[in-house]
Amino acid sequence: MGSRRSRSKVALLTTGLLTTTMGVGVGSALADPGDGSGAVGNDKVVNRGLAKTPSSNKSEIGRSGTDLGPGEIGRSKNMKHLANVRPDGPLATDTGTDIAFQDDKAFVGNYSGFSIWDIKTPSKPRKIAQVSCPGSQNDISVSGDRLYLSTDVARSDDSCASTGGSGTDKASWEGIKIFDISDLKKPRYVQAVETACGSHTHTLVPGGKSKEYLYVSSYSPSKSLPDCQPPHDSISIIEVPKKRPAAAKVVAEPNLFPDGGTESPDLLAGGTSGCHDITVYPAKNLAAGACMGDGIIMSIADPKNPKVIERVSDRNFDFWHSATFTNDGSKVLFTDELGGGNTATCDETTAPFRGANAIYNLNGRNKLKFQSYFKIDRHQHPSENCVSHNGSLIPVKGKNIMVQSWYMGGTNVWDFTNPTKPREIGYFERGPEKVKGDGGGTWSSYYYNGHIYSSDLGMGLDVLKITGKDFKSAAKVKMGEFNPQSQPFIQNR
């Protein structure tokens, strides 16, 4: 999410200093909350005020979509809203992005940096630190004492005090930033690694006891961009020595589409030119890539040398955005971010198979076979950007159940155990919250240790809980670390 095409790698009017909690001296970035090519303007997301105590009003239950007015909440009876917390200081006026987890901590990205929250008591998240480090979209992951951030917009340099640059300037910087989080109250900036075309997203890949890798995804090359030349059908692979993260470097740039991939003027990005996001499933040495015009399966038995072993396209897909495996690896679902996250696609005029999830069976020979589409049927206001976005599995034994973000369509929980008849079983959403020129809603919704955590573009971090017999055993599954695009095998007995 956050398109280079709509920004054209022009300067963002943003400055910043590395701070914790109440940092000062940072201006507001020009928020571009979508992958689209110009559907939003350059007005910044405004501070929507202090968080309010979540409501338990019974009038919320059963209301959704066009039933909701500005600021109103709708939810299913089985979905409880436990908490909402907002970033403040330099992060308060910018766009919230992805989430990673470690022990009882949540790490939440923001176009202007990141926040660390203590979620030991999920209903009362407590801010530990807030770091100002502008560089959208600040896609985030954590591993031990290391935290990684993606920068996919030209900056004057690789520091957290950088200013907006131009992609046409060879001296501008984009790539990965590495922080030491051994002291959670005082994260320390360690190293930066520049990558071709920047880093829109990245995926943590295990590499053994001494090292790990990052698969860096980026796209939309242009002849005018010296560090992002066409065709750019590749990813960058960064190797990070765990004990010496300052020695991190790019070790490979494999071309995943030697034939150029699927190209079509009907596709949002014009076709395959890199990847938007990759999810790895180390338990099976597999990865699923969402690469604008194509969905792929890769073997990552050699993490420095991933091999594409299956590839599919879909004439109904506008922008292959992300992927999720089922826990047994027998199915993969891909999301289509129709309109780039800027457009109202959850309405009566947009077909239910557009801007949806596509569910595929993955057989023993790693071949994909399409099963069905799934999209929320709660029609939204014409002003509400809504499309499939980031989510993760809920570890319900014997079933395939997922929680997922739909921007202003909210957070939903849906069951695709029968891949030909997926169905929604719970949801939480807000009424229209759009700020002039910008989208809103939830960017990522993930299940972690008994609760759902949602990062809203403007409203901050929401904590939800879904109830029912299917979720009692799921709540007993505990993870010590969770990066959703580095999908773990979950043992639920």
Side-chain angles (χ1 to χ4, degrees), residues 273-346:
S273 54
C275 291
H276 180 277
D277 212 340
I278 293 170
T279 294
V280 297
Y281 198 35
K284 287 185 172 290
N285 282 328
L286 293 176
C291 303
M292 285 90 72
D294 294 277
I296 59 173
I297 299 296
M298 294 186 287
S299 168
I300 57 168
D302 177 357
K304 289 197 295 185
N305 189 30
K307 299 289 188 183
V308 177
I309 56 177
E310 173 69 326
R311 177 173 137 195
V312 291
S313 60
D314 185 332
R315 62 185 179 85
N316 291 318
F317 261 42
D318 187 58
F319 191 95
W320 293 73
H321 178 275
S322 51
T324 303
F325 290 89
T326 54
N327 195 49
D328 63 0
S330 68
K331 300 177 184 66
V332 182
L333 64 89
F334 291 95
T335 66
D336 172 25
E337 196 184 30
L338 171 67
N342 299 308
T343 308
T345 74
C346 301

Side-chain angles (χ1 to χ4, degrees), residues 192-209:
V193 181
E194 188 169 16
T195 56
C197 294
S199 174
H200 193 70
T201 64
H202 69 268
T203 304
L204 185 70
V205 184
K209 293 183 179 180

Side-chain angles (χ1 to χ4, degrees), residues 396-415:
V396 175
K397 186 177 181 180
K399 295 186 177 182
N400 294 320
I401 296 179
M402 184 170 179
V403 59
Q404 187 173 15
S405 283
W406 295 80
Y407 290 112
M408 293 177 74
T411 293
N412 93 315
V413 175
W414 60 287
D415 186 328

Side-chain angles (χ1 to χ4, degrees), residues 4 7 9 136 151-155 157 166-167 172-176 193-199 225 227-228:
R4 177 179 294 108
R7 292 195 303 268
K9 295 222 174 185
S136 67
T151 298
D152 190 37
V153 63
R155 306 297 299 176
D157 55 56
S166 170
S172 292
W173 183 90
E174 299 176 65
I176 291 286
V193 181
E194 188 169 16
T195 56
C197 294
S199 174
L225 305 174
D227 294 326
C228 190

Side-chain angles (χ1 to χ4, degrees), residues 157-486:
D157 55 56
D158 62 8
S159 75
C160 285
S162 67
T163 57
S166 170
T168 60
D169 182 358
K170 178 67 176 174
S172 292
W173 183 90
E174 299 176 65
I176 291 286
K177 295 170 182 169
I178 305 173
F179 289 79
D180 183 318
I181 54 171
S182 54
D183 183 347
L184 290 171
K185 294 182 179 180
K186 297 180 180 179
R188 180 173 61 87
Y189 186 11
V190 173
Q191 175 65 308
V193 181
E194 188 169 16
T195 56
C197 294
S199 174
H200 193 70
T201 64
H202 69 268
T203 304
L204 185 70
V205 184
K209 293 183 179 180
S210 63
K211 56 193 173 184
E212 59 196 7
Y213 298 93
L214 300 179
Y215 285 179
V216 176
S217 298
S218 54
Y219 57 95
S220 290
S222 170
K223 291 181 180 179
S224 67
L225 305 174
D227 294 326
C228 190
Q229 290 290 296
H232 188 63
D233 290 320
S234 59
I235 60 173
S236 296
I237 300 178
I238 295 175
E239 182 179 270
V240 184
K242 293 182 179 180
K243 293 184 178 180
R244 295 185 302 115
K249 62 182 180 180
V250 175
V251 293
E253 293 181 335
N255 184 351
L256 304 182
F257 301 94
D259 67 351
T262 298
E263 302 292 331
S264 169
D266 296 330
L267 296 173
L268 182 64
T272 303
S273 54
C275 291
H276 180 277
D277 212 340
I278 293 170
T279 294
V280 297
Y281 198 35
K284 287 185 172 290
N285 282 328
L286 293 176
C291 303
M292 285 90 72
D294 294 277
I296 59 173
I297 299 296
M298 294 186 287
S299 168
I300 57 168
D302 177 357
K304 289 197 295 185
N305 189 30
K307 299 289 188 183
V308 177
I309 56 177
E310 173 69 326
R311 177 173 137 195
V312 291
S313 60
D314 185 332
R315 62 185 179 85
N316 291 318
F317 261 42
D318 187 58
F319 191 95
W320 293 73
H321 178 275
S322 51
T324 303
F325 290 89
T326 54
N327 195 49
D328 63 0
S330 68
K331 300 177 184 66
V332 182
L333 64 89
F334 291 95
T335 66
D336 172 25
E337 196 184 30
L338 171 67
N342 299 308
T343 308
T345 74
C346 301
D347 56 15
E348 294 182 3
T349 63
T350 305
F353 48 81
R354 302 296 312 281
N357 300 305
I359 305 166
Y360 288 81
N361 280 344
L362 183 66
N363 67 20
R365 302 186 307 277
N366 293 316
K367 297 299 181 183
L368 293 167
K369 184 177 180 180
F370 175 79
Q371 299 298 296
S372 69
Y373 296 105
F374 173 80
K375 183 179 179 179
I376 61 172
D377 60 5
R378 293 173 283 108
H379 290 152
Q380 306 296 307
H381 291 276
S383 63
E384 293 184 288
N385 56 302
C386 176
V387 74
S388 61
H389 212 238
N390 294 341
S392 71
L393 295 180
I394 298 179
V396 175
K397 186 177 181 180
K399 295 186 177 182
N400 294 320
I401 296 179
M402 184 170 179
V403 59
Q404 187 173 15
S405 283
W406 295 80
Y407 290 112
M408 293 177 74
T411 293
N412 93 315
V413 175
W414 60 287
D415 186 328
F416 63 107
T417 305
N418 180 343
T420 64
K421 294 182 179 180
R423 60 189 181 91
E424 181 174 83
I425 56 177
Y427 70 88
F428 168 86
E429 65 166 293
R430 291 184 171 93
E433 55 173 295
K434 205 165 190 176
V435 178
K436 181 182 178 182
D438 290 305
T442 173
W443 179 297
S444 298
S445 296
Y446 300 131
Y447 186 90
Y448 181 70
N449 293 353
H451 292 80
I452 293 168
Y453 297 87
S454 166
S455 174
D456 189 285
L457 276 71
M459 301 292 284
L461 180 67
D462 286 302
V463 184
L464 308 168
K465 187 173 182 65
I466 187 164
T467 60
K469 63 179 182 179
D470 276 338
F471 306 104
K472 290 182 179 179
S473 64
K476 297 177 182 179
V477 175
K478 302 299 181 183
M479 290 184 281
E481 192 170 270
F482 182 43
N483 297 290
Q485 288 74 42
S486 303

